Amino acid sequence: MLIGALLVAFLLSIFLTPFVGKLAVKLGATDKPNERKVHIKIMPRMGGLAIFLSFFITFLIFTLIFTNDFWGKLPLLVGALVIILIGMADDIYELRAAPKFLGQILAALIIVLWGNLEVEFINLPFFTDTLHFGIFSIPITILWIVAIINAINLIDGLDGLAGGVSTIALVTIATMALIKGDIFVAMVALTVIGSTLGFLKYNFHPAKIFMGDTGALFLGYIIAVLSLLGFKNVTMISLIVPIIILGVPISDTFFAIIRRIVNKQPISAADKSHLHHCLLNLGFTHKQTVLLIYALAACFGLAAIIFSFATMWGALILVAGLLLIIEIFVEKIGLVNSDYQPLLKMLNFKNKP
C-alpha cells in the first residue's frame, strides 16, 4: 500500500505538472526576475498545485480503499485546501503579508480545532513532573505550524531547493513513523514524497516551472502537521526530533531574524543573504549549492533518527554538538554578516601565543 501510494502520486505529478505550468501562464502566475532572484527569465510558478493535486487524488484513492476513516482525515485535507488557495492567490496576485499570514492561521486552526491536533504537555528531562501547556497548547501548536510553513517558504530560493529539502524531511518522518508503526503518517508522507519527486523532474536546475507559494506553503503545512502527529505529547528530548529534522529551514529562518536584528532591519524585510545566497557567493554553482544543502538536510535527518534512539545524556551531547557545528558553519559562510564571528574570534584568540 505504501509503495503503491508513492508510485501513484509520482506518476500523477509527472503527468499533471506540464498542464499546471500552462495554467499558471494563462492566469498570470509567473515569476519575473529582480535583484533578489537568481533566475534571468520569466518563469511559470504555482507548480505546487500539481504537487497538491497528485497528493489529493492519491490520498482519496488509498484512504477510501484501505481505511474506514475518511471523515476523520477530512480536517487535514480542508486545512491543506485553505493553504493551497492562499498560495495560488499569492502566486497570481502577489498578496500582502497580512492576508497570507491570516490564511496560514486559518489552516492551522482547522487542523488544531477540528482535527484535535495539539501539543498538550511534555515530560521534562531530569524531572518527574509533566509540564502541561493548558490554555497555551492551542497557540503553541498554531505557532509551530505557521513557523514551519514560513521556514519552508523562505528556503524556496533555488531550483529544486525547497522540494528536495522537504522530501528529505518527509523521508525522515516516514522512516520514524514506520519504526513506530504509524501507518497513516507514513502513508501521507510517502504520498507527498511521490508528488514532490514527480514535480522535481521539472523543477530541478534548470527549472521549467517553480512551485511558488502554492507549493512551499503546502509542503510546510504538511511537514508541520505530520511532525506533530508523529511526535506530540512526548518527552522534551523527543520533541526536539522534528526540530532536528527541519534543521536546514529552521536554522536559515532563525539566522535571517538574527541578521535583520544585527543589521537593524525590519524582521519582515526581504534580502539576498539566505543560506543558498551565501553559498552562491562563495563560488558554488547553482546545482552544487542545491546538492550541498540536500546533503546538510540529509545529515540533519540522520541525526534525528540517531537522536530518537539515544540515551538522555547521549541526546543532550548530540544536540550540543549540532548547535556548535551550526554556529561555526554560520560564521564561516557569513549567514548573519561578514563581521559576525563571535565563536571563531574567541577560538582564534585562545589559539594566539
Side-chain angles (χ1 to χ4, degrees):
M1 178 183 77
L2 298 178
I3 300 301
L6 186 150
L7 290 175
V8 169
F10 175 73
L11 294 174
L12 279 172
S13 186
I14 288 178
F15 174 74
L16 290 172
T17 299
F19 294 100
V20 169
K22 293 176 182 178
L23 176 64
V25 172
K26 288 184 178 179
L27 295 177
T30 55
D31 203 328
K32 301 174 180 62
N34 61 36
E35 66 277 2
R36 289 197 308 110
K37 306 291 179 62
V38 297
H39 63 281
I40 57 175
K41 63 179 182 178
I42 296 177
M43 296 285 292
R45 57 188 178 190
M46 205 176 77
L49 180 61
I51 298 175
F52 171 73
L53 290 174
S54 305
F55 159 76
F56 181 76
I57 295 169
T58 306
F59 183 89
L60 284 182
I61 293 171
F62 281 81
T63 301
L64 291 173
I65 293 176
F66 294 103
T67 73
N68 296 317
D69 188 30
F70 170 75
W71 295 110
K73 308 298 186 289
L74 197 56
L76 173 70
L77 294 180
V78 174
L81 181 59
V82 170
I83 279 291
I84 285 295
L85 292 175
I86 290 295
M88 289 177 63
D90 186 55
D91 285 337
I92 297 171
Y93 303 110
E94 297 187 4
L95 301 177
R96 293 184 177 181
K100 287 172 61 176
F101 184 66
L102 290 174
Q104 294 167 20
I105 292 177
L106 175 60
L109 280 170
I110 289 171
I111 189 64
V112 170
L113 298 181
W114 185 11
N116 296 315
L117 177 67
E118 57 182 293
V119 179
E120 298 174 348
F121 64 87
I122 55 172
N123 296 318
L124 299 174
F126 309 114
F127 295 92
T128 57
D129 293 337
T130 298
L131 176 62
H132 289 270
F133 293 125
I135 60 173
F136 297 105
S137 61
I138 290 177
I140 288 172
T141 308
I142 291 172
L143 178 63
W144 167 263
I145 295 172
V146 172
I148 299 306
I149 288 172
N150 285 283
I152 298 298
N153 194 29
L154 281 175
I155 206 172
D156 183 25
L158 295 179
D159 298 352
L161 183 55
V165 170
S166 297
T167 298
I168 292 167
L170 287 164
V171 167
T172 307
I173 291 172
T175 300
M176 299 187 72
L178 288 172
I179 292 172
K180 294 177 60 179
D182 194 330
I183 301 301
F184 174 72
V185 169
M187 187 196 77
V188 175
L190 287 169
T191 302
V192 181
I193 289 168
S195 302
T196 309
L197 287 176
F199 174 75
L200 280 173
K201 178 182 183 299
Y202 304 94
N203 182 238
F204 195 76
H205 186 70
K208 299 179 179 66
I209 184 173
F210 294 158
M211 67 168 60
D213 273 21
T214 308
L217 298 185
F218 170 68
L219 289 175
Y221 167 81
I222 286 293
I223 290 171
V225 170
L226 291 184
S227 64
L228 287 181
L229 285 172
F231 307 107
K232 68 173 184 173
N233 296 340
V234 288
T235 65
M236 173 71 83
I237 293 299
S238 297
L239 194 62
I240 297 173
V241 168
I243 297 176
I244 297 176
I245 292 172
L246 296 164
V248 169
I250 288 177
S251 297
D252 192 36
T253 303
F254 174 77
F255 284 103
I257 294 171
I258 298 298
R259 178 173 63 249
R260 287 155 191 170
I261 292 173
V262 169
N263 297 331
K264 298 180 180 180
Q265 296 176 331
I267 291 179
S268 60
D271 60 28
K272 202 170 183 180
S273 301
H274 286 283
L275 173 60
H276 51 279
H277 294 127
C278 291
L279 293 175
L280 288 170
N281 291 337
L282 288 174
F284 292 100
T285 66
H286 191 126
K287 188 173 292 186
Q288 287 172 339
T289 297
V290 171
L291 292 175
L292 181 56
I293 296 176
Y294 283 3
L296 290 173
C299 288
F300 276 110
L302 181 60
I305 293 173
I306 295 172
F307 182 91
S308 66
F309 291 102
T311 62
M312 181 69 69
W313 283 107
L316 291 175
I317 292 171
L318 180 59
V319 168
L322 281 174
L323 291 175
L324 180 62
I325 292 169
I326 291 170
E327 177 62 24
I328 292 174
F329 181 74
V330 164
E331 293 181 20
K332 279 284 189 182
I333 67 172
L335 191 57
V336 175
N337 61 42
S338 57
D339 295 326
Y340 177 81
Q341 295 183 332
L343 186 58
L344 291 176
K345 289 177 181 178
M346 183 181 69
L347 293 174
N348 287 335
F349 175 78
K350 289 186 176 182
N351 289 332
K352 288 182 179 179

